[in-house]
Amino acid sequence: MKASIIATFFALFLTCTYATKEATKKNKKAKLYVPEIDCDIKAGKIINPEFIAKCPPGCQDIKYRVYGTDIYASFSSVCSAAIHSGTIDNSGGKILVQKVAGQSGYRGSFSNGIRSLSLPRWRESFIVSEGKPKKGVTYPSTLEYSSSKSSPVKTESKKSAQDIKATRNTDTSNASEKSPEQADALRKEYQTSPGPVPTTQVTTTLKPTMTPEPISTRPKPTTSPATTSTTTAITAAKPRSAVHRVRDIGPSSVHPVYSAVAAAASRQVQAAQGRGQNQASRSTSPYASNRNIPRANTGIQRQEPVAAFRKPAGSPVHLALETDLWKPGSSLFDTGFSSKEELNPKPLEPVSQGNPNCKVDLSFLIDGSWSIGKRRFQIQKQFLSDVAQALDVGIAGPLMGIVQYGDDPSTEFNLKTHANSRDVKNAIEKIPQKGGRSNVGKALSFVNKNFFLDSNGNRGGAPNVAIVLVDGWPTDKVEEASRLARESGINIFFVTIEGADENEKRNVIEPNFVDKAVCRTNGFYSINVPSWFNLRKVVQTLVKRVCDTDRLACSKTCLNSADIGFVIDGSSSVGTGNFRTVLQFVANISKEFEISDTDTRIGAVQYTYEQRLELGFDKHSTKQDVLNAIKQINYWSGGTSTGAAINYASEQLFSKSKPNKRKIMILITDGRSYDDVRVPAMTAHQNGVIAYSVGIAWAAQDELESIATDPDKEHSFFVDEFDHLYKFVPRIIQNICTEFNSQPRN
C-alpha cells in the first residue's frame, strides 16, 4: 500500500516537473522573439540604439553597400556589415547591433566576400556582434523605423468619448460660472493638434444669442421657433497635406466671425417671427466692421467651441468660414444662407505647395537671451514672419523650423510641423522668449545632431540650411561646432544685429566668430545689420541667397558635386574579356556617387586611334540609367592614341561641364600611347580638370604621371592585372573626397 502511494506521488511529481519545464520553455521562447530585417535595411533607418535582429540569407551582394571596417557608418546595410565583420555568413543569422558615435573617418576593406568602402566622416556609426542577449538587457521584439518621407502633419491626440460628450453638453450657463483662469484651463485641456481626415461631415447648430453655443457635431435637432438649425455636409475630395491651426478664442472675447454668424442668425429669426414668413432681411456685417462692435459686459465667459472648430488640416468647414464666407462687404445671403437655411460654401482655393525654385530645408536659430529684450525679440519674430511669407513655404518648396537658444537650445517646431507660410507665421506669433545667455555654439551642435533628421521632416534631396540670428555676439565659442555642422553638409548663414563696437570688442569671447562659422568667408553667408530697426530691410536679400541652391557650398559633398568623365582604352591589347572588367570598374566607381541632373553626372569616352563619345554628361540623369548605359558600351579594338583622347574628352565632355561642378577625369589604359600625352594633359589641368590615371600591365609609368594631377602619388595608380582593378575603387573615391574637403573656405 505504501509503495503504491509513493509511486503515485512520484508520478504526480514527475508530471508537475515536466509541465513546469514545458511552460518555462514556452515562456523563454516568447521572450527571445527576434525581429527579422531585410538585406537592404540600413542602421540609420532603425531608431533603436541597441537591438537583436535576424538577417535573411543572400545579403552578400555588392548592391548592399557597406562603409567602414569593424565600426560602420550608419547608412551601411546592417546585414552586409555583419557578414563583412564575420559575425554571420551569407546564410544569415542573428546579430546584435549597437549604435555608437560618428567617426572622423571610415576605412574600407575586403573581408568575407564583401568590399566595404572608405568615407571621410559620418554623424552616426554602429558595431555588430554575435546575436546573444546580454544579461539584464531587454531587447525590442519590434524595431522602430524612421520615416523616409517627411510629413507636415502632426499626429492628432486622442480624446475619450466621455470627454467629447461632456464638452458638447456644456452650455453657456456653465461657462458663465467659470473664472477666466478656469475657462483658459478648460480650453487648454481640450486643445488638440490637427491631422488630415479625407472626409468630414459636420452638422452645425447656431442659436440666436450674442454668445453663441459651441457648434455641435450631433445629429440635426428638430427646428423650433426659437432655434434656427443649419446643417452642412461637406466632403473633402482629397486630404490636404498642409497643417492648419485655428486661432485660440479667449475666454472673454468672441471672434468676429462667430459674432457675425450669431448676430445675423438672431436678426433672421426675429424678422421671420415679425412678418410670419421665412424670408429674412439682408444684413451687411463685413468682417472688418465686426472688430469694433461694442459688447455688453455681461460677465459671461465664452465657452471654447471644441468639437466644431478643432478641425483637421485644411478643414473645409474652417477654411470656408474664415476665407470664403466672411469677406468684407458680403451679406448674410452672399455667404450661402438661403431661405432653406442651408450653408453652401464656395469651392476652396488650393493651398500653395511652395516655391519649387527654392526647395531647401531651413532651420532658423533665434536669439532668446535676456540681452535682446522683449521689444527686440518681437522685432525678431516679425522678421521671421516676413521671411516665411517671402519664402512661400510648402511641401514642393522650402520648409522651415525654428530653434530658440539661450542657455540651452530647444526646438520650437520642426520641418514637418507646418506646410504653408500662414501656419508658420501663426506658430511664430506664439513663441515665448526663453531668456538666458547667447550660447550659439551649443545651439549649432544641437541642430547638427538633432534637427535635420528624417523623423523631423528632413527630405534628403533638399539642401540643409541653418540661419543664425545673433544680437551682438555669442557667449560661447562657435568654431568647432560650426565646422562639424559644415562637414555634415549644413549650410550656415549668420545674421548679426548691432555688433560689438570698439569698446565692446574686448568682451567678445571669439574674435571673427562669423568667418569661423560660415560656409564661405566671401560675404555671401553673412549679413551684418547695424540696427534691429533695419532688420526688415534684409528679408529679400536673405531669401534670395538661401534659395540660390547652386551657391550653397556646404550642401555640396564629394559625392554630389562633380562631373566625372571616364576615358577608356579600347585598343586591341585590352581584349573583350578585360574590357568588360574595365567597364565593371567604371560602374563600381560611378555607383558610389549621388547621380542626377543637379548632383554628380557621369560621362565616358572610348578611344583607340579614334575617339567615340559613349556617354554625355546630360545623357542620363539617374544612377540606374548610367549603370545600364555603361554595361552596353561595345568594345572597339584598335591602336592607342591617349593624347588625342584627352583632347577629345576636354572638347566633348568637360567643355560642357556646369560652372559649379568639379571636373574629374579618370583615364584607364593598358599600354604606351602612340602620341604625346603631356601637352593635352597640361591643357586639361589648366582648364580645371582634375585628372586620375589608372595603368594596367604594359602602361608607361612616366605617361601616367604626366596625365595625373599633382601630386602624382595621389592621382596615379598602376596594377599588374585587370582582375585587380577593384582594389583602387575605395582609394580613388577617398582621394576625391579628401581633396574636396580640403578646399579653402573663401
Side-chain angles (χ1 to χ4, degrees), residues 47 66 68 103 116 126 234 250 257 295 352 514 543 546 606 626 693:
I47 298 175
V66 178
Q103 305 294 305
S116 72
F126 69 98
I234 301 173
V257 172
R295 299 181 180 85
S352 171
V514 173
V543 169
V546 300
Q606 184 183 177
V626 167
S693 60

Side-chain angles (χ1 to χ4, degrees), residues 391-414:
L391 282 169
D392 187 11
V393 173
I395 58 175
L399 293 177
M400 66 179 282
I402 292 180
V403 171
Q404 183 180 174
Y405 66 87
D407 289 334
D408 296 297
S410 61
T411 302
E412 299 294 342
F413 56 86
N414 61 34

Side-chain angles (χ1 to χ4, degrees), residues 588-626:
N588 288 343
I589 292 177
S590 299
K591 71 182 181 181
E592 297 305 320
F593 291 86
E594 300 171 20
I595 297 174
S596 74
D597 289 334
T598 56
D599 295 316
T600 291
R601 303 186 301 171
I602 303 294
V605 168
Q606 184 183 177
Y607 73 94
T608 58
Y609 285 125
E610 299 177 289
Q611 306 83 34
R612 185 167 69 194
L613 181 64
E614 303 288 0
L615 301 175
F617 286 139
D618 58 353
K619 187 72 177 293
H620 302 289
S621 58
T622 69
K623 183 179 295 188
Q624 193 57 52
D625 287 346
V626 167

Side-chain angles (χ1 to χ4, degrees), residues 54 56 225 308 314 316 332 348 396 407 431 490 571 645 678 694:
K54 185 176 181 180
L332 182 66
L348 300 176
D407 289 334
I431 296 176
I490 300 174
S571 62
R678 291 173 296 177
V694 180

Side-chain angles (χ1 to χ4, degrees), residues 178-212:
K178 297 183 181 294
S179 66
E181 293 79 6
Q182 291 172 320
D184 188 55
L186 182 63
R187 182 171 66 259
K188 290 180 179 178
E189 180 180 354
Y190 291 105
Q191 186 171 355
T192 63
S193 301
V197 177
T199 304
T200 306
Q201 183 166 339
V202 180
T203 303
T204 306
T205 303
L206 299 177
K207 293 190 178 183
T209 59
M210 289 306 294
T211 305

Side-chain angles (χ1 to χ4, degrees), residues 299-479:
I300 297 176
Q301 303 298 323
R302 172 71 162 86
Q303 176 68 32
E304 175 74 7
V306 177
F309 286 97
R310 296 294 179 194
K311 288 298 167 191
S315 167
V317 174
H318 180 268
L319 292 176
L321 285 173
E322 192 157 76
T323 62
D324 288 322
L325 299 184
W326 298 99
K327 296 178 180 178
S330 63
S331 68
L332 182 66
F333 291 97
D334 292 335
T335 63
F337 282 96
S338 65
S339 59
K340 295 181 180 181
E341 299 170 350
E342 292 180 349
L343 181 63
N344 298 314
K346 300 176 183 178
L348 300 176
E349 296 182 1
V351 176
S352 171
Q353 299 297 300
N355 179 9
N357 297 319
C358 183
K359 190 174 181 180
V360 293
D361 289 343
L362 293 157
S363 171
F364 283 85
L365 283 71
I366 64 171
D367 192 339
S369 63
W370 292 129
S371 65
I372 195 175
K374 292 184 178 180
R375 183 181 183 187
R376 287 181 290 185
F377 188 76
Q378 292 300 320
I379 294 174
Q380 183 177 219
K381 287 172 40 174
Q382 183 59 51
F383 171 74
L384 292 173
S385 295
D386 294 342
V387 171
Q389 185 66 39
L391 282 169
D392 187 11
V393 173
I395 58 175
L399 293 177
M400 66 179 282
I402 292 180
V403 171
Q404 183 180 174
Y405 66 87
D407 289 334
D408 296 297
S410 61
T411 302
E412 299 294 342
F413 56 86
N414 61 34
L415 295 169
K416 71 177 184 180
T417 309
H418 305 294
N420 60 67
S421 295
R422 180 179 59 182
D423 292 346
V424 169
K425 291 167 66 177
N426 289 339
I428 290 170
E429 290 178 6
K430 299 175 183 178
I431 296 176
Q433 188 175 0
K434 285 174 62 70
R437 296 169 294 174
S438 300
N439 289 336
V440 176
K442 201 171 186 179
L444 284 168
S445 295
F446 175 84
V447 168
N448 185 28
K449 296 175 182 177
N450 302 291
F451 189 86
F452 292 108
L453 303 176
D454 291 348
S455 58
N456 290 336
N458 184 46
R459 291 174 287 183
N464 295 157
V465 178
I467 302 172
V468 185
L469 279 71
V470 185
D471 174 46
W473 57 88
T475 54
D476 64 348
K477 293 186 177 182
V478 302
E479 183 174 14

